[in-house]
Amino acid sequence: MASQPDTARIPPAFASTDAVLHIGGRSVEALAERHGTPLYAYDGAVIADRLDQLRHHLPERARLTYAIKANPMPELLAWLTPRVEGLDVASGGEIERALAAGAAPADISFAGPGKTRDEIARAIEAGITIGLESRTQLDTVAELAAKAGSPPRVCLRLNPDFQVKGSGMRMGGGAQPFGVDTERAPELLRAIHDQGLELAGLHIFAGSQNLNAEVIAEAQQRSMDLALELLRDAPRAPEFINLGGGFGIPYFPGDKPLDLAAVAGRLHSLDQKLAAALPGTHMVIELGRYIVGEAGVYVTRIVDRKISRGHTYLITDGGMNHHLAASGNLGQVLRKNYPVAIANRLREPEAEPVTVSGPLCTPLDVLADRIALPHAEVGDLVAVFQSGAYGLSASPVGFLGHPAPEEVFLPGEGRPEPVDRG
């Protein structure tokens, strides 16, 4: 017997009583008709709601910045840039996207363990804050700054001596290509001062995609304690201490949304501690996935329906070449299904277990494996939710020569208003 539709699988932002999915006030059928498939669609109203939540919970003095690596789509970036206090970039290409989006150079911070001399020179020329992740980078920045006659602002990224449990990707603790080991930090802080560079801040990012508020709060507490200890004898207090982010979003069955209020409660205490120790220094919370991840939907059309030895396969016109993460090939140890729906049959009962496969000649190209969905035919649309971060730009688009999908940003109501930078 067919079961009723599993509406719990559809994220709350997209839940409705309509049989057809709507994104940014537009039906998925209309979007597919206009833009074709495959397609990424991003709902600006969902991002605006998330920004509202963050502003409500975070300390007033805290600055919210966006990590472009999560989603560098130009229209999305242009809309988001005036609504946050800064952008984090990790390549020369992202520098240019940030500047094209209208970000002031002083509001851009350049991270990454493998910066080239050309990228560093461009950052110095533009007046961007450069994150230092090794002694080599420090010396290169000092050399190029001397040639340019323009001492840049720098921040020191630290590799802490603790690990964050429960993170999707661990970015700190133990041996890492990221940041400077904390035991070497005093040496590099002295070198920054001796070479006449301006220390704008410290950056500590220990892990990403964490849904455990207690673990995140503990990591932020330890990060702040570490930063304040290192700065105790600094000749001048820096502008900021960047605690990173790592806030996760629910992707899989059993995942529970992050308790933002619980995280923010500890951040308010940390902000008070920071204000007492270093009144002129503010806290930065740097987020990517948490801001945009739940706003995106990947839409692909069924081009074939086949039964192989009793199991039904829905073959779509897009797959892992456009959405590597949903295929399970971007960091998953055990493959799990993203939230998936037949976008034009939302109210129909789940009639059969199916596997949704993309068009590529590889068994890795699976968007959903053995999942109960409504009966679907050629021409129907499959929606993959939670696709606003690490989607198209994190996927092997050139693999097997299929065309790239369209991307569309739907600003919706446009809230909240741009940040007043005084």
Side-chain angles (χ1 to χ4, degrees):
M1 177 180 294
S3 62
Q4 292 303 304
D6 182 9
T7 54
R9 186 187 298 129
I10 300 174
F14 296 101
S16 77
T17 58
D18 202 323
V20 178
L21 176 67
H22 282 69
I23 307 170
R26 302 278 300 281
S27 81
V28 70
E29 293 174 327
L31 289 170
E33 178 68 23
R34 178 173 180 180
H35 300 281
T37 59
L39 167 72
Y40 272 96
Y42 310 111
D43 191 333
V46 177
I47 301 175
D49 285 343
R50 178 51 48 85
L51 291 176
D52 281 344
Q53 294 167 16
L54 287 164
R55 298 294 183 197
H56 175 73
H57 284 95
L58 293 179
E60 185 175 354
R61 289 188 344 120
R63 294 189 182 180
L64 179 63
T65 64
Y66 174 63
I68 289 182
K69 63 176 72 70
N71 190 327
M73 191 249 192
E75 289 80 6
L76 182 155
L77 195 57
W79 180 90
L80 185 56
T81 293
R83 291 169 170 82
V84 293
E85 281 84 14
L87 300 177
D88 176 78
V89 301
S91 71
E94 288 191 348
I95 287 175
E96 300 309 325
R97 289 211 176 189
L99 293 172
D107 296 330
I108 302 173
S109 182
F110 181 21
K115 303 178 185 72
T116 67
R117 292 176 65 88
D118 286 346
E119 288 174 327
I120 291 173
R122 175 65 177 123
I124 292 172
E125 175 192 28
I128 290 168
T129 300
I130 303 173
L132 303 178
E133 309 218 15
S134 71
R135 180 58 192 255
T136 300
Q137 281 191 5
L138 192 162
D139 292 340
T140 301
V141 168
E143 175 197 342
L144 295 177
K147 291 180 180 178
S150 177
R153 288 159 38 96
V154 300
C155 67
L156 185 64
R157 179 170 178 175
L158 302 174
N159 174 28
D161 55 0
F162 59 85
Q163 299 180 2
V164 178
K165 298 178 180 178
S167 292
M169 290 187 180
R170 186 164 56 85
M171 308 287 286
Q176 292 287 339
F178 311 106
V180 175
D181 295 344
T182 53
E183 54 268 31
R184 293 202 62 195
E187 168 197 340
L188 269 73
L189 288 171
R190 288 192 296 271
I192 289 170
H193 179 265
D194 292 345
Q195 300 208 44
L197 303 177
E198 178 187 351
L199 179 66
L202 297 180
H203 183 191
I204 309 168
F205 183 30
S208 68
Q209 181 47 26
N210 203 312
L211 294 171
N212 189 316
E214 183 177 345
V215 170
I216 291 175
E218 179 185 354
Q220 291 171 336
Q221 174 75 60
R222 297 181 70 176
S223 295
M224 180 62 75
D225 290 344
L226 172 61
L228 293 178
E229 175 64 24
L230 287 172
L231 294 172
R232 185 175 56 183
D233 300 320
R236 187 163 66 95
E239 177 186 329
F240 64 83
I241 295 174
N242 185 339
L243 297 180
F247 297 10
I249 64 173
Y251 285 105
F252 311 120
D255 282 354
K256 294 182 179 180
L258 175 68
D259 186 346
L260 180 59
V263 175
R266 183 74 66 89
L267 285 175
H268 280 271
S269 298
L270 293 183
D271 186 57
Q272 294 172 0
K273 184 175 184 178
L274 176 60
L278 301 171
T281 302
H282 60 260
M283 175 195 306
V284 169
I285 302 299
E286 175 192 311
L287 300 171
R289 184 196 320 265
Y290 193 72
I291 292 176
V292 299
E294 294 179 271
V297 183
Y298 178 61
V299 180
T300 180
R301 192 180 295 277
I302 298 171
V303 297
D304 198 0
R305 172 189 170 90
K306 61 185 291 186
I307 297 177
S308 175
R309 295 196 169 97
H311 184 65
T312 301
Y313 287 84
L314 304 178
I315 312 299
T316 55
D317 59 4
M320 66 174 282
N321 53 326
H322 300 155
H323 203 331
L324 186 66
S327 74
N329 294 295
L330 188 65
Q332 286 190 41
V333 177
L334 298 175
R335 192 197 178 284
K336 299 178 183 178
N337 293 323
Y338 272 43
V340 170
I342 304 301
N344 55 314
R345 299 178 183 267
L346 294 184
R347 311 313 298 178
E348 295 185 18
E350 296 173 339
E352 57 186 353
V354 301
T355 293
V356 181
S357 295
L360 307 183
C361 295
T362 169
L364 300 176
D365 190 17
V366 174
L367 292 177
D369 189 30
R370 300 184 180 274
I371 186 172
L373 292 175
H375 181 90
E377 293 287 350
V378 172
D380 285 335
L381 299 168
V382 174
V384 183
F385 298 100
Q386 308 298 73
S387 297
Y390 303 105
L392 181 59
S393 62
S395 301
V397 180
F399 185 45
L400 296 188
H402 289 271
E406 290 284 334
E407 288 185 287
V408 58
F409 177 69
L410 304 162
E413 299 177 10
R415 297 176 295 105
E417 293 302 313
V419 171
D420 181 5
R421 290 178 167 80

